[in-house]
Amino acid sequence: MEIPPVFRENKRMDNTGVYELLESSGLESCGLSLSHLLSLCTTANVSERGDGMSKQMHISSESLADFEEQLYIAIEMYHDQIRWLSQGNRKVFGLVNGSRVGVLVDTSDLNCSTERLAHLQRELLTLIDKQLRFKKQLHLLSFSSEVSSLWDKPQDTCLLSPDQTVDIICDFLNQNRTPSVHAVAYNCSSPDAIETVKQMAAVSGGRYHLFSAAMGVVDSSTDIDLLWAEIKAARNVLTQIQNMRQGRLGDTAVTVESEISTGLDSLTLSDFSPVSSALSAPLCIQPTGPIPTISSEWLKTHGLKAQKLDLYQLLARNAYSPQETFVPILGKTVSSTVHERVMVRFEWHDGTVKNLHVDLPSVQKYQKRLMDAVRLFERRVQWLNRTGSQQIWGTVCEQRVQVLLDMSGMNAHYQLHLQHALRILLQEQLANKHSFNVIVFGSDVKSWQEKMVPSTHENLQAVWQWIQAVECFGGRNTLAALRRALEEEAQEESSLTGGVYLLTTGLPDQHMVSVTNYVSERCSATNLNLHVCLFTGEEDTARCPPPRYATRTETARALSGLAHAGNGRFLWMTETGIVESDDISALIGEMETAVNYFQKCSELVDSLIQKGSDRGSGETSTPSIKPQTWTARAKLPSPRPTTLSLARLESRQKSRLAQNGWAWRPNSSKADIPPVQSADISTPARLSRTADQRKTKVSQSVFFMEDGNLGVLFKKYPKPKSVRKSITTIKLPRHEDICSTKQWLKRFGIKNLKLDLHKLISGPECCHHIKLVPSVQKRVSAKYCAIFPSVQINGTVKHLHLTPGELKQYLSQTEKLMQRYSQRLEWLLTGSRRMFGSVLEKMVCVLLDVSGSMAPCLPALQKELTLLIWDQLHANSVRFNMLAFSGEVRMWQPALVQSTDELCVEAVQWLNQLSTHGASSTLQALQTGCSFGDAVGLYLITDGRCDSSHSLILTEIEKLRQEKDFTVHTIAVNCHDRACIEFLKSLAHKTGGRFHQTPENTDTALIRKLLSDPCSADPVLPKFEGDDLRKLSEEIEKLRMFQKQAKAFRETILESRNQEGM
């Protein structure tokens, strides 16, 4: 048989659609199907044969070899077509067919978010340049809430990311005659949206295309699926050919009359493994660049300390500690006041206060260098976050590398992503390594080689061919894979650095503590690092159920601990990009330090400018340093005035006035007249005054004027103490503490962090003075009150002495605090904490009401309690027990037990067999729970309806509290009676516990939107009944109010300054 010409013609790819290609070059049209193969054979019936064969088939070896060669060529052509479809903008949108094309783009907020819009616009421009400009007619539409058209008359349609439900769209397409729809899902991981796209294409007779921008591959496509189906059919025919060579095809004996040509020996089936369009091609090994380093090592040469940009190092040469000296005559310690006029006070990193001489040009130069360093850090973050192997694996720095690939059955949906991740790692980072090996694991562990091999191009190509034949199957035996990798590396005893890179999608089947302890022990004894790369998709329990009810965040925390125990790094990536990376976190921490230094420099500059403006605002009549030298020249102390001297002065003044006054002049121009101190001339001086009176009264000097009258010189006023408050830089934890909101706010509340705006503007310099003027009978403001902007705080007029820079710093710190509050609120609304709140104690007894009134909510409670056991009790190693009460009390265990895996499973089973009936003996259940010992936390889950009076229960509990130490936390379920809610609140608060009620219809997305915009016009946060949620929401509302006021104050100050400038 000759090779069909169509195979040669189609070696050059064009814009021919896949349907047209298969019509002309498919297996059926080219005569390469199984039926065509059988038509080349001659068949005869066999009557007597002992091996069960009923027919005998003959075929020539030349015909079989030609047929097989054509199949290989056809498969190669299909692979080339798939590679062509996976290149350029065809990878993103597929191949656009037809001469009259219309494009509908979904421009909704969800599809065109900030992080997606730029990429989508760039890809659309490429689509227009590469495909659409060659069409005869073109029409562009965008739709969200409304439809916007570029031209007037639309023609054919090409849809991106449909929005309505499947039924509505499919009914419309069925009832209306529409052109074929080519539906594209751009970077979409929602199963519902993907199913909508597929059904739209099926109903309209069109095609669909699914593209993952995060991985840079085609998830699925009608064109590519058709080609893979054709390749699969060709491979089935090749399998039948292999069976024919072995002499049997089903129940038919096959005889090949001569040997097959040896020219086909080089063609193997493994060259055409059906894994992915872009993945089937050989590796494109990239040239090696500079030796990579991890971010912590990179910062040692490029960080702030390496560039000598530490702020405190820069300021240390001009920083002086305040000097304090004990003055015996005063009986107290006084501090120097020179810094108030010539220096700036600055808080040091150890919490002390220094006096600084600020060199303004050097500070501005330092700020410029800081910005250059931040831009350098940003470039490295962008390099780590680019689409490539660094985004998935991080930087591979070791010389001996072992790759562990999770190919368990739960990863069947992500098999394409995992293989693509390994492919780009082989292409980009392993070519310059000393040696490597690849280990895949599911229930069993398979190594590509027994030992590590050199990183040659041949070995890299060979391991890629091997990995394409591996399928996802079984559980996730991570511990066995780690043992094989770590123990194999330990046996090598090489002086080269070694690294194990684990790519997984979830927690191992083994207990996490055992795995972490093993890794810590092995890696601490060898020069070996374990790096963990976590890939997660949508949190869909139907597709990939998390083990032990572990959420994605909890999985990330556990695997991060595993990586750190192995002296390695952790990286968490989803289909939309990187969520967490130790490399990027180190860089972000360095950038935050640089920003903090920049803000402190800005505060120094503002303080220096403010001090300069104060010095030149009319205080020139008061000398700054000279009065100290003048006072030092005083030779004689001021004498104490006596009654006689004061009387003589008074009589002499009266006589001078009667004689119309002589001009008095001293005997000598150089004579010193000691001043006479007197508070009141008409009153005799008191013999003694207290120290407080001498401290508070002013200092005066009395002297004779030329006309003979007495003059009084005020020499000293009582100096008020400065109470100006500064904006502090807050430090907040990243991870959540297991404590109540009341305890948490004592550490991170607005008051404790000194961010109360009303207190910042409540000093004496902010007071607005109004006095009654008797002459006009009016209350008039002081003249200086018109200089400063005025605002009303709680009905009182205050002056704004804060600068715009300080208010900007305040808004920055409050925004940081608001984000932390948002994180805490979301944490309280996730997992079992939404239903039961946080479990604080290490010894807990859960009291579950199973009376008849709890029947509607018991199934949901059983499910949530199961989550509570695994989510909080087991995860935090809490000793616990469970009681169920109705008319009687039933205990799960006679005492508190450890939260081991086996006991937690037993507790879940015991919960699932409970049923509701009878009354509610709440008091008996509480008394039973108190018997488990002191310091136990009782979590009462009930609707508040009891068979005893509420007052009786509260009285008995107070008596029990005198004998034993316990805390009752109440959880209201299905409780709509206000009296019952108040009873549960009183019961919790009397015992030092908390009341909790599950919030209804709480949209976390709405809450996040409210907290992200401090000036949002949306309504306030939902009303929470539970203590933890209520107190945190009240603090959030208070912080939002302060943010709005601070923004308004800043605008007021800027507006007043603009008016002064005009």
Side-chain angles (χ1 to χ4, degrees):
M1 294 180 63
E2 295 183 358
I3 298 175
V6 68
F7 290 161
R8 300 191 184 94
E9 295 172 359
N10 282 287
K11 283 290 184 180
R12 181 180 59 85
M13 300 302 165
D14 52 19
N15 290 328
T16 305
V18 175
Y19 288 107
E20 293 79 5
L21 174 67
L22 295 181
E23 287 180 1
S24 60
S25 305
L27 297 181
E28 290 290 341
S29 60
C30 295
L32 295 178
S33 63
L34 183 60
S35 59
H36 291 88
L37 175 62
L38 296 178
S39 65
L40 300 177
C41 304
T42 58
T43 305
N45 294 327
V46 179
S47 57
E48 295 181 1
R49 186 156 181 168
D51 54 1
M53 300 294 179
S54 59
K55 294 182 180 181
Q56 180 70 40
M57 184 180 297
H58 298 271
I59 186 173
S60 64
S61 59
E62 291 80 5
S63 299
L64 194 61
D66 291 342
F67 198 95
E68 187 177 17
E69 182 181 3
Q70 292 180 43
L71 283 173
Y72 280 124
I73 294 174
I75 292 175
E76 183 182 359
M77 183 195 68
Y78 300 149
H79 277 292
D80 291 339
Q81 185 73 17
I82 290 175
R83 279 192 290 270
W84 181 74
L85 290 173
S86 302
Q87 295 174 355
N89 68 314
R90 293 179 296 274
K91 177 175 65 175
V92 181
F93 300 105
L95 182 63
V96 179
N97 294 331
S99 58
R100 300 166 62 243
V101 176
V103 180
L104 273 68
V105 183
D106 178 5
T107 57
S108 61
D109 293 339
L110 181 62
N111 192 47
C112 293
S113 57
T114 304
E115 60 273 9
R116 290 168 56 98
L117 181 59
H119 299 284
L120 181 60
Q121 289 174 336
R122 184 168 59 250
E123 298 295 349
L124 284 172
L125 289 175
T126 306
L127 174 68
I128 294 173
D129 182 60
K130 298 298 183 182
Q131 295 194 60
L132 299 184
R133 68 188 183 95
F134 299 105
K135 306 301 179 181
K136 292 183 179 179
Q137 293 183 358
L138 179 64
H139 189 75
L140 297 177
L141 285 173
S142 65
F143 66 93
S144 55
S145 300
E146 298 178 355
V147 178
S148 175
S149 174
L150 182 60
W151 299 298
D152 295 333
K153 297 180 180 180
Q155 303 296 327
D156 296 337
T157 56
C158 174
L159 183 66
L160 283 96
S161 300
D163 187 35
Q164 282 78 15
T165 61
V166 180
D167 297 335
I168 295 175
I169 297 175
C170 293
D171 290 343
F172 172 79
L173 295 176
N174 280 325
Q175 297 172 8
N176 298 272
R177 297 185 60 186
T178 58
S180 60
V181 175
H182 177 48
V184 177
Y186 177 79
N187 196 19
C188 178
S189 58
S190 173
D192 296 335
I194 293 173
E195 185 64 24
T196 302
V197 167
K198 291 182 178 180
Q199 291 194 22
M200 287 174 57
V203 171
S204 64
R207 297 170 294 133
Y208 67 87
H209 188 86
L210 311 179
F211 172 70
S212 173
M215 302 299 297
V217 298
V218 180
D219 283 339
S220 182
S221 172
T222 302
D223 293 341
I224 295 178
D225 290 347
L226 289 174
L227 291 171
W228 278 122
E230 203 73 7
I231 291 174
K232 184 177 180 180
R235 290 175 59 85
N236 290 334
V237 177
L238 288 173
T239 303
Q240 299 302 328
I241 291 176
Q242 297 296 328
N243 294 335
M244 293 173 68
R245 286 175 176 167
Q246 296 177 4
R248 181 169 182 172
L249 186 62
D251 57 351
T252 303
V254 180
T255 301
V256 180
E257 296 180 353
S258 62
E259 294 296 328
I260 299 176
S261 173
T262 58
L264 295 177
D265 292 343
S266 61
L267 295 175
T268 60
L269 292 175
S270 61
D271 295 333
F272 310 99
S273 177
V275 178
S276 169
S277 57
L279 303 182
S280 60
L283 297 178
C284 299
I285 308 298
Q286 299 181 5
T288 59
I291 300 176
T293 56
I294 61 177
S295 293
S296 58
E297 295 294 331
W298 184 84
L299 288 174
K300 290 181 180 179
T301 56
H302 300 87
L304 297 178
K305 290 186 178 179
Q307 300 184 46
K308 297 181 179 180
L309 291 178
D310 189 285
L311 176 62
Y312 302 101
Q313 183 180 0
L314 174 70
L315 301 177
R317 54 190 176 185
N318 293 326
Y320 303 92
S321 299
Q323 298 296 325
E324 295 184 351
T325 304
F326 180 78
V327 180
I329 194 171
L330 299 177
K332 62 178 181 180
T333 302
V334 297
S335 59
S336 61
T337 59
V338 180
H339 68 275
E340 296 181 359
R341 298 182 179 180
V342 298
M343 295 185 184
V344 177
R345 305 196 72 182
F346 184 75
E347 183 178 357
W348 214 245
H349 60 83
D350 57 356
T352 60
V353 177
K354 302 283 188 180
N355 298 327
L356 294 179
H357 284 291
V358 180
D359 184 9
L360 189 59
S362 64
V363 171
Q364 292 175 344
K365 182 179 178 181
Y366 172 74
Q367 287 181 309
K368 183 178 179 181
R369 292 183 61 196
L370 275 180
M371 297 307 298
D372 294 338
V374 170
R375 283 190 286 270
L376 176 63
F377 300 152
E378 289 176 347
R379 287 197 298 271
R380 180 168 175 87
V381 171
Q382 292 173 358
W383 177 74
L384 290 171
N385 202 21
R386 69 179 184 178
T387 303
S389 59
Q390 285 87 1
Q391 189 182 31
I392 304 173
W393 302 90
T395 54
V396 179
C397 308
E398 294 81 5
Q399 297 169 302
R400 296 170 56 84
V401 178
Q402 295 191 79
V403 181
L404 303 184
L405 195 61
D406 181 4
M407 298 292 284
S408 56
M410 288 179 287
N411 295 337
H413 183 77
Y414 300 115
Q415 181 173 346
L416 178 67
H417 300 75
L418 297 175
Q419 291 180 344
H420 172 74
L422 181 61
R423 176 185 175 88
I424 60 177
L425 175 67
L426 297 173
Q427 291 181 152
E428 298 178 3
Q429 299 200 61
L430 291 190
N432 61 344
K433 303 304 175 185
H434 177 270
S435 55
F436 79 103
N437 196 7
V438 177
I439 300 173
V440 298
F441 64 94
S443 298
D444 301 326
V445 181
K446 299 179 182 179
S447 299
W448 172 57
Q449 297 291 343
E450 291 297 328
K451 295 184 178 181
M452 302 180 70
V453 298
S455 298
T456 61
H457 286 204
E458 293 77 11
N459 287 334
L460 293 174
Q461 296 286 356
V463 72
W464 174 240
Q465 296 297 330
W466 175 76
I467 204 65
Q468 292 182 83
V470 178
E471 299 290 338
C472 294
F473 179 76
R476 186 181 287 123
N477 195 355
T478 309
L479 181 58
L482 290 172
R483 292 185 61 182
R484 178 170 298 187
L486 298 179
E487 292 174 4
E488 174 187 342
E489 180 68 20
Q491 294 175 359
E492 296 293 335
E493 296 182 357
S494 175
S495 60
L496 302 175
T497 57
V500 178
Y501 288 79
L502 168 64
L503 178 59
T504 183
T505 60
L507 292 176
D509 293 342
Q510 296 79 18
H511 198 280
M512 199 64 209
V513 176
S514 303
V515 179
T516 304
N517 292 339
Y518 170 76
V519 169
S520 177
E521 180 181 354
R522 298 297 301 182
C523 293
S524 60
T526 59
N527 185 21
L528 190 62
N529 303 321
L530 171 65
H531 310 283
V532 180
C533 307
L534 172 64
F535 175 79
T536 58
E538 292 292 326
E539 196 165 8
D540 186 0
T541 57
R543 177 189 301 168
C544 184
R548 298 194 183 99
Y549 298 95
T551 62
R552 292 190 298 176
T553 304
E554 294 166 346
T555 301
R557 295 280 73 78
L559 293 178
S560 175
L562 177 64
H564 298 159
N567 304 323
R569 294 163 288 139
F570 173 71
L571 189 146
W572 177 15
M573 179 185 176
T574 65
E575 294 178 350
T576 57
I578 294 178
V579 178
E580 181 180 348
S581 171
D582 289 348
D583 281 335
I584 295 179
S585 297
L587 294 170
I588 292 177
E590 197 77 359
M591 285 191 285
E592 290 179 349
T593 302
V595 171
N596 185 24
Y597 287 168
F598 190 91
Q599 292 177 350
K600 288 182 179 296
C601 289
S602 300
E603 293 174 4
L604 282 176
V605 173
D606 291 343
S607 300
L608 186 63
I609 295 174
Q610 180 72 21
K611 189 176 289 292
S613 62
D614 292 342
R615 196 179 300 129
S617 60
E619 299 179 0
T620 55
S621 60
T622 303
S624 57
I625 302 178
K626 291 182 179 179
Q628 298 178 359
T629 59
W630 178 84
T631 306
R633 293 198 198 118
K635 298 178 181 179
L636 298 175
S638 301
R640 183 183 298 275
T642 63
T643 305
L644 180 61
S645 62
L646 291 175
R648 289 174 178 175
L649 288 173
E650 182 179 1
S651 62
R652 187 172 183 178
Q653 181 183 9
K654 292 181 179 179
S655 63
R656 293 290 184 183
L657 291 174
Q659 298 175 6
N660 203 8
W662 286 352
W664 177 89
R665 53 176 60 91
N667 296 330
S668 175
S669 60
K670 296 183 180 180
D672 293 335
I673 301 177
V676 179
Q677 298 180 357
S678 175
D680 190 355
I681 299 178
S682 62
T683 305
R686 296 180 181 177
L687 297 177
S688 63
R689 289 181 297 176
T690 63
D692 293 338
Q693 290 175 337
R694 290 196 302 269
K695 182 177 180 181
T696 57
K697 290 184 178 293
V698 299
S699 175
Q700 304 172 355
S701 293
V702 182
F703 61 93
F704 289 101
M705 295 187 298
E706 293 181 356
D707 57 357
N709 296 327
L710 287 177
V712 179
L713 175 65
F714 292 87
K715 294 179 57 180
K716 184 178 180 181
Y717 288 93
K719 188 175 182 180
K721 184 179 180 181
S722 176
V723 292
R724 182 177 177 85
K725 301 177 177 63
S726 60
I727 310 300
T728 59
T729 301
I730 61 175
K731 295 181 180 180
L732 301 172
R734 293 185 177 181
H735 303 296
E736 299 297 342
D737 296 331
I738 302 177
C739 61
S740 64
T741 299
K742 182 179 179 181
Q743 296 172 339
W744 193 79
L745 290 178
K746 286 182 178 179
R747 298 168 54 198
F748 307 110
I750 299 174
K751 181 180 178 181
N752 183 266
L753 296 177
K754 299 179 181 179
L755 291 179
D756 192 323
L757 184 61
H758 295 173
K759 286 190 176 181
L760 291 175
I761 57 176
S762 62
E765 72 276 9
C766 302
C767 294
H768 178 66
H769 295 284
I770 299 178
K771 291 186 178 181
L772 179 64
V773 179
S775 60
V776 295
Q777 293 298 319
K778 284 186 179 180
R779 299 183 66 86
V780 181
S781 302
K783 291 184 178 181
Y784 67 85
C785 292
I787 301 176
F788 304 102
S790 301
V791 294
Q792 281 198 355
I793 302 296
N794 297 329
T796 305
V797 178
K798 296 287 185 179
H799 294 301
L800 289 178
H801 279 254
L802 295 175
T803 64
E806 289 175 332
L807 286 173
K808 183 178 180 181
Q809 170 71 3
Y810 177 82
L811 289 172
S812 174
Q813 297 302 313
T814 53
E815 181 63 27
K816 182 179 179 181
L817 182 61
M818 181 64 74
Q819 293 177 1
R820 188 62 186 85
Y821 283 172
S822 175
Q823 178 184 343
R824 178 78 179 183
L825 185 60
E826 290 186 15
W827 180 74
L828 290 174
L829 290 174
T830 55
S832 60
R833 290 175 294 274
R834 178 185 178 87
M835 175 67 76
F836 306 107
S838 301
V839 177
L840 309 182
E841 295 82 4
K842 286 298 182 180
M843 295 188 297
V844 168
C845 181
V846 179
L847 313 178
L848 178 60
D849 184 359
V850 291
S851 60
S853 60
M854 296 287 290
C857 55
L858 182 60
L861 271 177
Q862 291 173 331
K863 181 179 178 181
E864 294 294 337
L865 282 170
T866 302
L867 181 59
L868 172 68
I869 291 173
W870 293 109
D871 186 24
Q872 298 196 60
L873 303 184
H874 178 269
N876 300 326
S877 301
V878 177
R879 297 179 64 234
F880 75 105
N881 196 0
M882 307 191 74
L883 302 181
F885 65 92
S886 54
E888 58 183 5
V889 179
R890 287 174 287 172
M891 290 191 298
W892 168 56
Q893 295 287 346
L896 300 180
V897 297
Q898 298 291 342
S899 54
T900 61
D901 290 350
E902 296 77 9
L903 290 175
C904 288
V905 172
E906 291 182 11
V908 172
Q909 294 174 352
W910 183 79
L911 280 173
N912 292 333
Q913 54 87 28
L914 293 176
S915 60
T916 58
H917 64 281
S920 177
S921 55
T922 306
L923 179 58
Q924 185 180 357
L926 290 171
Q927 292 171 343
T928 306
C930 297
S931 63
F932 291 115
D934 290 338
V936 64
L938 305 181
Y939 286 78
L940 176 63
I941 306 172
T942 179
D943 57 359
R945 302 174 185 176
C946 312
D947 56 0
S948 303
S949 65
H950 293 168
S951 59
L952 175 62
I953 296 176
L954 295 175
T955 303
E956 293 297 326
I957 291 298
E958 287 182 357
K959 295 179 180 178
L960 284 174
R961 284 272 296 174
Q962 297 175 0
E963 301 175 358
K964 295 184 178 181
D965 181 18
F966 63 90
T967 305
V968 179
H969 305 278
T970 56
I971 296 100
V973 179
N974 193 26
C975 183
H976 305 288
D977 187 357
R978 199 65 205 174
C980 295
I981 293 177
E982 294 300 328
F983 159 69
L984 293 177
K985 287 184 178 181
S986 300
L987 179 59
H989 297 162
K990 283 182 179 295
T991 59
R994 296 161 298 136
F995 170 76
H996 183 82
Q997 187 173 16
T998 305
E1000 297 180 357
N1001 301 325
T1002 303
D1003 188 1
T1004 54
L1006 175 60
I1007 293 176
R1008 193 179 301 109
K1009 178 182 178 182
L1010 287 172
L1011 300 182
S1012 62
D1013 185 6
C1015 298
S1016 174
D1018 293 335
V1020 296
L1021 291 173
K1023 184 178 180 181
F1024 299 111
E1025 288 285 349
D1027 292 342
D1028 284 340
L1029 293 172
R1030 177 179 53 79
K1031 291 178 181 178
L1032 185 57
S1033 63
E1034 290 174 355
E1035 196 78 1
I1036 289 173
E1037 289 294 343
K1038 184 178 180 181
L1039 186 60
R1040 292 183 70 208
M1041 179 191 68
F1042 285 162
Q1043 286 181 318
K1044 292 180 182 179
Q1045 290 181 348
K1047 188 174 182 181
F1049 294 166
R1050 188 169 185 268
E1051 293 176 353
T1052 301
I1053 296 174
L1054 294 175
E1055 183 179 355
S1056 64
R1057 289 191 176 183
N1058 292 336
Q1059 291 177 356
E1060 292 176 0
M1062 296 174 61

